[in-house]
Structure formats: structure tokens, C-alpha cells
Amino acid sequence: MKLKALTLAALMAASPAVADIKVMDAYARSASPTAKSGAAFMEIMNTGEADDRLIAAASDAAARVELHTHKDMGEGVMRMMEVEEGFALPAGGAHALARGGDHVMLMGLTAPLEQGSTISVTLTFEQAGEMVVEIPVDNERKPEAMDHSKMGH
């Protein structure tokens, strides 16, 4: 019995806690009031001492929820695609889910994402486990400023 308790305590001490993950500046958008899909954006910070990874998301607001990114297919074509391996969160680092980049994709909305409402999204981390985040719908939010200095115009 003592060995089991000691092993469990060691495992708990070795893995980061949800408290090590901070979600900031989260918001969701839909394309229009009749949209069948929408997206959620946020900054995720790993304040812990161990690397982690966002590996999944779920929400009652949509039939299907995936982690997505945009990929440059060349010739001015951008394609949205699922990121099955998730998003790395290095120890002491952060990962931005922002418009035009990585995001949480909500497909098959169960109700319109109405301005001022809130949706509940469960984020699943490889080490920290599940975290429920209440995300406000803000369809009037301006897109984040892009750094055009690195683009090849």
C-alpha cells in the first residue's frame, strides 16, 4: 500500500498541473449569424517547468472541434488544415492561437455564436490534462495586427 501511495505522489509531482497553464485574451468568432462554423483564439502560456502540448479541444457549441492552422500552398493559396499533433507549449513559453494562424475550429455549430454570448471549450493538454475555458463571442473584434516585415512582397 505504501508503495502505491508513494508512486502516485511521485507521478503527481512529476507532471505539470493545470495551474501551470494560463489562457489569456480568449475570444470566439463566427463568419455570420447563420454560419455553420466558427473559431476560437487565445494565448496559452505554460508557466510550469515542463514542456506540454495542447492535443485536443471539445465544446457543446459545435458537433466537431479541431485544432487548426493555415498552410501556404504556394501561388497565393492558403489552406486551413487540422493539426493532429497539437500545439507545443514549451516550459516557460507561450503559444498564440490567432486569426490567420493556429486556432480552435468549431464545425457544425449547434447554435449561432451571438455577440456577447459565451461558449465553454474544454482544452486537453498532454501533461496538464483538461481545462474548461469560458470564451466570449466577440464578432466585432478587430484582427490582430500582422507583422508584414517578414512577408515576401
Side-chain angles (χ1 to χ4, degrees):
M1 256 325 177
K2 271 187 167 182
L3 183 59
K4 278 188 180 178
L6 181 59
T7 303
L8 180 60
L11 284 172
M12 288 174 57
S15 55
V18 167
D20 291 339
I21 301 294
K22 308 278 187 240
V23 175
M24 300 165 294
D25 204 23
Y27 72 100
R29 288 183 60 104
S30 65
S32 72
T34 58
K36 299 290 184 220
S37 64
F41 311 99
M42 64 202 74
E43 174 124 8
I44 304 172
M45 182 175 272
N46 179 359
T47 61
E49 295 179 10
D51 293 347
D52 207 340
R53 178 175 293 276
L54 175 62
I55 57 172
S59 177
D60 290 340
R64 203 160 117 205
V65 182
E66 295 178 353
L67 302 177
H68 270 213
T69 194
H70 288 86
K71 183 175 181 177
D72 187 347
M73 304 306 287
E75 298 183 23
V77 176
M78 295 294 284
R79 180 172 169 230
M80 201 177 332
M81 58 194 337
E82 183 177 11
V83 181
E84 292 181 16
E85 69 275 11
F87 304 125
L89 294 164
H95 189 87
L97 304 185
R99 290 173 64 188
D102 297 340
H103 57 281
V104 174
M105 190 73 198
L106 306 160
M107 297 172 289
L109 294 176
T110 56
L113 296 182
E114 296 178 345
Q115 177 70 21
S117 65
T118 302
I119 62 170
S120 182
V121 175
T122 301
L123 302 175
T124 303
F125 298 90
E126 199 169 64
Q127 302 298 320
E130 292 185 349
M131 171 188 276
V132 177
V133 181
E134 298 300 317
I135 300 178
V137 176
D138 188 351
N139 286 323
E140 296 173 3
R141 186 151 182 173
K142 302 284 186 246
E144 290 81 359
M146 289 182 67
D147 179 2
H148 293 281
S149 66
K150 295 183 178 99
M151 297 180 93
H153 293 277

